[in-house]
Amino acid sequence: MTISTTGFYKEATKFMLAIGLLAGLCMGPALAESPKSLGTFKDWSAYSLSENGQTVCFAVSEPQDKLPKTAKHGDVFFLISNWIGGSKGEPSLVTGYTFKAGSSVTAEIGSSKWNLFAKDNGAWIREAVDEKKLINAMKNGSTMRMKGTSARGTATEYQISLSGVTKAINAINTSCQ
């Protein structure tokens, strides 16, 4: 089964709503099922979520720093997802605002950079080979920086800790094979 980028975007948005519900925030309508925790690993957590016959597992973290401090970022999450019977290791950034149309988001770990395409409030890597390279760099790095531009033209930047990412990825790999 192949899940399109649009399908992934919809599922990632649902997951954000589920995380909000877990945190006691009323960000949207209730889901049919709440995510099941697969564990917390330092700065990363892992969950599985089943809805409409599809199961997806997510490794997720929130930025430790959001710039500019004066901007309204909303909820921001970096996710790596595995779909049972489908794609594995799909990294994405989901924000609480819309990205500038036609823009890209840059992920930086050390001196390595990846460009993600932005659509609405999410950003994804186009090529599976680059997804694997980014995930490998995440496993070997300590911090990742994400840089993008909002629809209002605000340059945004997020610092995401990579402490615990390997164990979170292992948890979703075990649960969503």
Side-chain angles (χ1 to χ4, degrees), residues 5-6 9 93 98-100 102-103 117-124:
T5 301
T6 303
Y9 166 73
L93 177 70
T98 302
F99 285 107
K100 180 178 178 179
S103 70
F117 73 92
K119 179 172 172 46
D120 299 327
N121 69 327
W124 300 269

Side-chain angles (χ1 to χ4, degrees), residues 136-173:
N136 285 336
M138 290 173 69
K139 289 178 177 180
N140 294 307
S142 60
T143 302
M144 177 171 58
R145 291 206 176 276
M146 303 293 298
K147 297 178 182 179
T149 305
S150 75
R152 293 183 177 183
T154 304
T156 58
E157 184 174 332
Y158 305 103
Q159 179 178 318
I160 299 166
S161 168
L162 299 175
S163 181
V165 70
T166 300
K167 288 185 178 181
I169 291 169
N170 290 343
I172 67 169
N173 287 344

Side-chain angles (χ1 to χ4, degrees), residues 51-64:
E51 176 128 4
N52 298 327
Q54 291 185 332
T55 299
V56 62
C57 293
F58 293 91
V60 61
S61 187
E62 293 183 75
Q64 292 182 317

Side-chain angles (χ1 to χ4, degrees), residues 18 29 39-40 52 65 73 79 83-84 89 102 105 111 114 125 129 134 143:
T40 299
N52 298 327
D65 196 18
H73 299 271
L79 305 110
W83 301 86
I84 288 183
V105 173
S111 62
W114 294 263
I125 291 183
V129 67
L134 174 58
T143 302

Side-chain angles (χ1 to χ4, degrees), residues 14-62:
K14 286 184 198 176
F15 181 72
M16 275 187 38
L17 293 172
I19 291 294
L21 291 171
L22 283 177
L25 303 172
C26 293
M27 294 171 48
L31 298 174
E33 181 180 317
S34 293
K36 175 186 168 192
S37 175
L38 302 174
T40 299
F41 311 94
K42 296 187 180 178
D43 295 324
W44 284 77
S45 297
Y47 297 91
S48 67
L49 176 65
S50 295
E51 176 128 4
N52 298 327
Q54 291 185 332
T55 299
V56 62
C57 293
F58 293 91
V60 61
S61 187
E62 293 183 75

